[in-house]
Amino acid sequence: MRLRNGILALALFSLAACGESVPASTSVPAPVSADDLAKVVLKVGDQKGGSKTLLTTAGLDRTPYRIEWSTFSSGPPLLEAASAGGIDIGAVGNTPPIFAAAAKAKIAIVSSSKGNVDSDALLVPSASPLRTIADLRGKSIAVAKGSSAHGQILLTLKKAGLSTQDVKLNFLQPADAYAAFTQNRVDAWAIWDPYTSQAKLEAGARVLTDGRGTANGYTFQVAGQAALADAGKNAAIKDYVTRIAKAQKWSDAHREDWAKAWAAETGLPVTVTIAATAQGPDLPVPLDDAVIASEQELADAFTGDKVLPSKVDFASFVDKRYAPDLESVR
């Protein structure tokens, strides 16, 4: 499962007035007792078919603290809520943390996962004459602005010696982009699973190029600074991110079960979710220098294309306090 659907641009992320950025690494509170942990209410931001469904399906939803779930349509408002203290933690794709960092949000990236990048695709209709990235010159490409697919387009074009000035980007969210693609109102569509699988199965889409060599496939658990500074919530977050990592491992070993649960929650055809999960789910990876460098490259691509107003220092929004606990899961 990916958490990139509906990711919006920085213009929709209303944190620009939050003031100066807060260093991600803060002092770690002391451990709490089991009795104190039982009193904690962890406020978790989710997206449909996301973490709550994953934990429940994997049988890992019985926590020693209470979870209060809030559903968000996309990553930016979820991170806005985390920065403001409306939620304590939530999962997002690889781009919302970059835009949140640019808006100087009071958040920290605390764990990372990686999915396959084969399904991060640039699609064309089956009968399209386009065969190479160079053929895109002057053509229209549907893409969600500020999404992982947007970043992938920047890097893909750059790799081929092109830029966004050589193509026509049509900024459309997935549902509108799917309609435009199937009605031949755009020449290509940059998108991710499950939409990639849906377009291939239902519209006969052809993959012009995929994310290998350009996309990084990362997703993140991102916490609010206030929650990380609270002893009880810090303890709950440590347990929560560990459970999510275990659930991701479970989904890899039970792909069909996860596909059925995903379809039931989202309303997608089970044939689509089975095709998407066959590519492999997101799995926990160390929040290490390689992850940070890849995210910095993506941030720099947005800055270079003037989507972001200035350079973002991604590393300053990373907090590795839970790394030892997560290492035992991997």
Side-chain angles (χ1 to χ4, degrees):
M1 180 199 62
R2 298 300 175 83
L3 293 159
R4 306 173 213 177
N5 41 317
I7 296 171
L8 306 180
L10 182 61
L12 295 182
F13 201 99
S14 58
L15 291 171
C18 284
E20 295 185 1
S21 60
V22 178
S25 296
T26 58
S27 59
V28 180
V32 299
S33 68
D35 287 342
D36 286 337
L37 182 58
K39 300 174 185 176
V40 173
V41 177
L42 187 66
K43 296 179 290 185
V44 180
D46 199 11
Q47 297 179 51
K48 192 172 183 180
S51 301
K52 183 179 182 181
T53 304
L54 180 61
L55 288 179
T56 302
T57 309
L60 292 167
D61 54 326
R62 299 186 64 177
T63 59
Y65 45 87
R66 185 164 69 87
I67 296 180
E68 182 180 283
W69 296 95
S70 296
T71 302
F72 293 83
S73 61
S74 60
L78 186 155
L79 293 187
E80 180 177 0
S83 180
I87 62 170
D88 302 316
I89 190 168
V92 297
N94 66 354
T95 303
I98 292 172
F99 283 84
K104 306 190 185 307
K106 297 176 182 179
I107 52 96
I109 296 95
V110 296
S111 70
S112 55
S113 304
K114 183 178 176 65
N116 83 86
V117 296
D118 296 22
S119 56
D120 294 330
L122 186 59
L123 303 176
V124 295
S126 58
S128 171
L130 304 181
R131 296 292 169 181
T132 68
I133 301 303
D135 294 336
L136 289 170
R137 188 183 295 273
K139 303 300 182 181
S140 59
I141 305 171
V143 63
K145 189 173 185 179
S147 70
S148 59
H150 188 181
Q152 184 184 340
I153 282 291
L154 303 187
L155 297 175
T156 297
L157 292 172
K158 181 179 179 181
K159 191 175 180 180
L162 301 175
S163 75
T164 54
Q165 302 302 309
D166 298 307
V167 299
K168 301 171 186 175
L169 295 185
N170 286 22
F171 292 123
L172 299 169
Q173 291 302 303
D176 294 330
Y178 186 78
F181 181 79
T182 55
Q183 295 166 17
N184 294 313
R185 289 189 279 114
V186 293
D187 298 302
W189 182 21
I191 193 58
W192 55 86
D193 252 340
Y195 302 104
T196 299
S197 294
Q198 185 178 22
K200 290 168 67 177
L201 288 170
E202 298 179 357
R206 171 167 55 84
V207 176
L208 183 68
T209 187
D210 59 32
R212 288 175 290 185
T214 50
N216 64 25
Y218 291 126
T219 58
F220 300 100
Q221 292 290 334
V222 184
Q225 289 288 347
L228 292 172
D230 179 273
K233 299 218 176 204
N234 173 66
I237 291 171
K238 179 171 73 170
D239 175 85
Y240 176 79
V241 296
T242 305
R243 284 174 185 268
I244 288 290
K246 290 178 179 177
Q248 289 174 328
K249 298 272 283 189
W250 175 91
S251 69
D252 189 33
H254 302 82
R255 295 186 184 184
E256 186 173 347
D257 291 336
W258 170 233
K260 291 176 180 177
W262 191 6
E265 175 67 17
T266 61
L268 286 166
V270 71
T271 52
V272 170
T273 58
I274 285 176
T277 55
Q279 299 291 329
D282 295 345
L283 291 172
V285 295
L287 186 53
D288 58 15
D289 291 345
V291 173
I292 293 171
S294 181
E295 285 292 291
Q296 188 63 56
E297 180 186 16
L298 181 58
D300 291 345
F302 280 112
T303 303
D305 205 56
K306 303 190 185 308
V307 178
L308 294 178
S310 60
K311 185 176 178 66
V312 171
D313 180 14
F314 189 82
S316 67
F317 288 83
V318 170
D319 190 319
K320 300 181 181 181
R321 68 178 67 185
Y322 306 124
D325 302 279
L326 290 165
E327 182 62 34
S328 64
V329 178
R330 291 187 291 271

